[in-house]
């Protein structure tokens, strides 16, 4: 569908995008995720045609578009603050793209398609309204309608939900997914919100410092982070130094700095290698006593934070430092006495935890 | 001492209200009353109620004709020069140079208009541009004391009043809108016509109003560059009040000028509403 081939963007000496290689598949929902300044917006803007790559190129449907101006590209964008035309009505905004077509699209045709697009975003009756008469959430829908009415090959979304409140954002996410399923258009979303990326995307392209850190399904990024950056950006992780002890039939046993031995997920490594292990707080559990057959590390509870569905425990171990453990609400009842100051055992079930590659 | 809301309101409105009453309403009322009077035997004003002064207006037709030709023409010319300049400075120029260039637009106006008009007398006079044209073999041109000279003078003098409102409206134009237009398939020139231009119309409206209204009352520039041959209503008024001392006729002329101005401004506002520059969202003036 679209392909970044060694695409690089330099601003003076700053590398905003560094040799991006990525193939976007037809009909998928792909998110560029990362902190501000990671290059995700630059990548999107190069795809839209607002920036020209300094090096490498971009293909859309096999056509090289590196230097093609935005107004010739078969893609449309939903802008972060919508960028709706304040001097036009809602319907005129939506019709704008169709009116630019040459040869011209028939008037009745435009009217029909605009009405259909407005219906799709549930703004059927709002056509004659002025932009300033619309709420933030409605403006967002207008922006969406203005883009999809052109039936772009790729719909680009630049942090479209950043300005919405939490509840509206959740609604809009569901609506976007439905829309994508209906239209079958390829969606490319830029976001700094990992929840948004995890819940909506078919694949996530996680970026950092202008480079692609990892591309994969949300599950792959969460369960098998490629490196320390991915592990700490997506979700939360305890990062622990360790030494590989033994590798056998897809089983990897490591020795933590504390001397305890745990089994982690399979990885390509050899005994004796110094590695870093990432384990999610919800993969660990707590017990007042050691449990037969399950490795555990004793540590002192230093914080207990109520989060609604979960309780977060922070425990301190003299060698390993702070360990975060996330306990579901129901399980908490089975942990009497788990208060600040008490010593509990942090249980490490077999096969959990991931050896991280170097960044 | 605590002031009630009501007292505070009057206290705050007081100075402006007094100013307005003493310097605008009262003089206008006096002028209106005078316009129905007669010239005193020794000049000045003598109470009467006659329409004779208004009946006599036709004798001063040339002043009205010049004003009503050159004020709109000057406004349009100032617009045609100021808009591209404002566009260049607000949209195109590297922001690093913008302040410097803006200062360059303003600096000439630190000098009195009187002095600058004198400069134009020399530029347009026999030994200025006409001499240069003659040397280049481009014929014999007389510029000073022509409508053209007055036009040059007023466009030069009033251009900043046109420039700044347009500059401000272009400067606050959201660049994302142009990206959106481009994204939706509009090449740059069409984006200009469909997005930039309509959104800068409030600035155009403000600028042309300011310039037009002031030009209708202009006195100094026609006096200096028109040399008594190209005169505005303002020049005729000075003549009537100070030379012929016919205050009644002068007042009738003033009232007529104000009336003409009101009509033109009202028509212009209507026109702007119609083409959509005066929408609530973009705000007019």
């Amino acid at each position: 569908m679209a392909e970044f081939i060694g695409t690089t963007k330099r601003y003076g000496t700053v590398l905003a995008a560094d040799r991006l290689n990525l193939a976007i598949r037809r009909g998928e929902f792909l998110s560029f995720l990362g902190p501000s300044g990671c290059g995700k917006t630059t990548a999107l803007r190069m795809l839209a045609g607002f920036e020209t790559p300094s090096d490498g190129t971009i293909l859309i449907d096999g056509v090289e578009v590196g230097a093609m101006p935005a107004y010739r590209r078969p893609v449309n964008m939903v802008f972060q603050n919508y960028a709706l035309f304040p001097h036009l009505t809602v319907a005129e905004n939506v019709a704008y793209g169709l009116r630019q077509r040459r040869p011209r699209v028939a008037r009745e045709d435009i009217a029909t398609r605009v009405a259909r697009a407005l219906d799709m975003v549930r703004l059927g009756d709002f056509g004659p309204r002025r932009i300033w008469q619309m709420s933030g959430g409605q403006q967002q829908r207008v922006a969406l309608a203005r883009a999809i009415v052109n039936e772009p090959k790729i719909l680009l979304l630049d942090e479209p939900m950043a300005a919405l409140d939490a509840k509206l954002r959740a609604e809009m996410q569901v609506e976007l997914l439905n829309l994508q399923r209906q239209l079958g258009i390829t969606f490319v979303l830029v976001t700094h919100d990992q929840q948004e990326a995890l819940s909506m995307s078919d694949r996530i392209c996680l970026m950092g410092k202008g480079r692609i850190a990892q591309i994969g399904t949300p599950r792959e990024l969460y369960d098998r982070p490629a490196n320390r950056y991915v592990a700490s950006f997506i979700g939360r992780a305890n990062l622990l130094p360790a030494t590989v002890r033994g590798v056998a039939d897809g089983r990897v046993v490591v020795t933590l700095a504390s001397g305890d031995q745990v089994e982690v997920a399979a990885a390509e490594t050899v005994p004796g290698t110094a590695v870093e292990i990432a384990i999610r707080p919800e993969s660990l559990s707590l017990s007042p006593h050691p449990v037969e057959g399950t490795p555990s590390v004793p540590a002192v509870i230093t914080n207990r934070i109520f989060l609604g569905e979960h309780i977060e425990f922070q425990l301190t171990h003299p060698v390993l430092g702070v360990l975060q453990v996330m306990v579901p609400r129901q399980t908490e009842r089975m942990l009497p006495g788990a208060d600040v100051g008490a010593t509990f055992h942090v249980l490490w079930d077999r096969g959990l935890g991931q050896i991280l590659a170097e960044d | 001492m605590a002031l009630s809301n009501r007292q505070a309101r009057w206290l705050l409105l007081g100075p402006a209200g007094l100013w307005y009453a003493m310097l605008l309403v009262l003089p206008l009322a006096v002028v209106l009353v005078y316009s129905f009077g007669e010239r005193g035997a020794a000049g000045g004003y003598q109470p009467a109620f006659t329409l004779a002064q208004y009946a006599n207006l036709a004798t001063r037709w040339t002043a009205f004709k010049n004003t009503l030709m050159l004020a709109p023409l000057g406004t349009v010319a100032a617009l045609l020069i100021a808009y591209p300049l404002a566009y260049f400075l607000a949209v195109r120029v590297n922001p690093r140079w913008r302040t410097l260039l803006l200062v360059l637009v303003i600096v000439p106006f630190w000098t009195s208009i009187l002095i600058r008009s004198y400069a134009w007398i020399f530029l347009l006079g026999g030994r200025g541009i006409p001499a240069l044209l003659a040397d280049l073999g481009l014929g014999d041109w007389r510029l000073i004391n022509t409508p053209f000279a007055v036009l040059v003078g007023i466009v030069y003098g009033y251009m900043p009043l046109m420039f700044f409102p347009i500059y401000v409206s272009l400067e606050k134009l959201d660049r994302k809108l142009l990206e959106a237009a481009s994204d939706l398939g509009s090449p740059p020139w069409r984006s200009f016509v469909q997005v930039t231009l309509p959104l800068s119309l409030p600035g155009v409206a403000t600028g042309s109003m300011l310039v037009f209204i002031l030009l209708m009352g202009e006195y100094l520039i026609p006096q200096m560059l028109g040399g008594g041959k190209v005169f505005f209503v303002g020049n005729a008024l000075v003549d009537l009040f100070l030379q012929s001392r016919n205050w009644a006729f002068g007042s009738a002329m003033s009232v007529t000028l104000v009336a003409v101005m009101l009509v033109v401004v009202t028509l212009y506002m209507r026109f702007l509403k119609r083409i959509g520059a005066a929408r609530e969202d973009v705000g007019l003036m």
Side-chain angles (χ1 to χ4, degrees), chain A residues 47-255:
Chain A
L47 194 52
F50 302 136
E51 310 283 351
T52 318
S54 318
D55 241 318
T57 191
I58 295 176
L59 306 182
I60 296 178
D61 252 0
V63 180
E64 193 180 326
V65 295
M68 185 189 280
Y71 59 88
R72 293 226 176 87
R73 296 192 187 196
V75 301
N76 286 113
M77 179 131 142
V78 176
F79 288 81
Q80 184 165 6
N81 294 310
Y82 320 139
L84 297 171
F85 302 119
H87 58 302
L88 303 179
T89 63
V90 167
E92 285 167 348
N93 263 278
V94 177
Y96 192 93
L98 295 175
R99 292 215 170 119
Q100 307 309 317
R101 298 268 175 93
R102 299 293 181 272
R104 285 175 190 277
V105 183
R107 214 170 240 280
E108 312 81 63
D109 228 21
I110 292 181
T112 324
R113 289 168 70 174
V114 166
R116 204 189 310 144
L118 282 174
D119 277 339
M120 237 174 210
V121 297
R122 299 193 283 117
L123 286 177
D125 301 329
F126 291 83
R129 293 257 191 125
R130 296 271 159 207
I131 295 306
W132 49 268
Q133 293 172 317
M134 310 289 277
S135 71
Q138 290 171 329
Q139 292 192 7
Q140 153 95 78
R141 291 163 202 276
V142 178
L144 204 54
R146 184 177 71 173
I148 59 171
V149 76
N150 305 298
E151 292 165 6
K153 290 196 167 137
I154 308 174
L155 181 72
L156 309 174
L157 302 129
D158 184 11
E159 308 235 10
M161 272 138 339
L164 302 181
D165 62 62
K167 192 164 165 280
L168 212 50
R169 191 181 313 160
E171 279 176 31
M172 206 61 217
Q173 289 176 355
V174 174
E175 224 165 289
L176 264 183
L177 282 175
N178 289 340
L179 204 60
Q180 198 227 0
R181 229 163 283 143
Q182 256 180 63
L183 295 169
I185 297 176
T186 310
F187 277 36
V188 176
L189 172 78
V190 158
T191 183
H192 64 268
D193 181 341
Q194 48 158 313
Q195 281 317 327
E196 196 168 288
L198 287 172
S199 61
M200 302 184 72
S201 321
D202 294 320
R203 287 196 304 156
I204 295 175
C205 173
L206 180 64
M207 296 191 64
K209 293 184 185 153
R211 294 196 187 166
I212 296 175
Q214 190 174 356
I215 306 172
T217 63
R219 222 168 255 281
E220 280 166 358
L221 263 69
Y222 195 84
D223 290 344
R224 278 182 277 128
N227 54 42
R228 190 193 173 116
Y229 174 76
V230 180
S232 50
F233 190 85
I234 300 215
R236 297 204 301 178
N238 293 295
L239 299 173
L240 305 167
T243 314
V244 178
R245 171 94 184 184
V247 186
D249 359 307
R251 292 174 39 174
V252 179
V253 174
V254 301
T255 310

Side-chain angles (χ1 to χ4, degrees), chain B residues 179-198:
Chain B
E179 281 189 354
S182 176
D183 182 62
L184 292 166
S186 162
W189 66 270
R190 239 192 278 154
S191 302
F192 174 78
V193 174
Q194 293 174 345
V195 179
T196 310
L197 194 61

Side-chain angles (χ1 to χ4, degrees), chain B residues 40-225:
Chain B
Y45 165 74
Q46 190 175 315
F49 185 79
T50 166
L51 291 175
Q53 310 304 341
Y54 287 98
N56 214 11
L57 278 175
T59 58
R60 296 291 178 155
W61 165 241
T62 319
F64 280 105
K65 191 189 74 185
N66 286 340
T67 309
L68 284 172
M69 294 263 290
L70 284 170
L73 199 62
T75 308
V76 171
L79 175 63
L80 291 180
I81 293 169
Y83 196 101
L85 180 66
Y87 182 81
F88 176 73
L89 284 187
V91 182
R92 283 301 164 87
V93 91
N94 183 335
R96 216 171 352 145
W97 302 109
R98 191 172 292 154
T99 313
L100 178 73
L101 291 170
L102 276 176
V103 169
L104 286 179
V105 173
I106 302 166
V107 161
F109 299 90
W110 289 355
T111 312
S112 153
I113 179 75
L114 195 67
I115 311 238
R116 282 180 289 129
S117 297
Y118 263 118
W120 277 113
I121 292 182
F122 285 101
L123 278 171
L124 299 171
R127 278 173 297 167
I129 294 169
L132 188 69
L133 290 176
D135 281 354
L136 292 173
L138 293 174
D140 192 17
W141 291 86
R142 204 179 67 87
L143 298 177
I144 194 72
N145 300 344
T146 62
F148 175 75
V150 176
L151 186 67
V152 167
I154 58 184
V155 168
Y156 170 75
Y158 285 91
M159 210 273 289
L161 287 179
M162 184 69 86
F163 170 82
F164 280 102
I166 298 175
Y167 174 80
V168 169
S169 68
L170 283 171
E171 208 254 329
K172 70 179 185 197
L173 175 85
D174 184 0
R175 302 304 146 81
K176 289 273 172 209
L177 294 180
L178 299 179
E179 281 189 354
S182 176
D183 182 62
L184 292 166
S186 162
W189 66 270
R190 239 192 278 154
S191 302
F192 174 78
V193 174
Q194 293 174 345
V195 179
T196 310
L197 194 61
L199 287 175
S200 63
L201 275 186
V204 171
T206 310
S208 31
M209 284 294 224
L210 273 175
V211 170
F212 178 75
I213 290 170
L214 291 175
L215 279 184
M216 288 289 283
E218 180 59 31
Y219 159 74
L220 184 72
I221 294 168
Q223 182 73 20
M224 297 184 72
L225 300 176

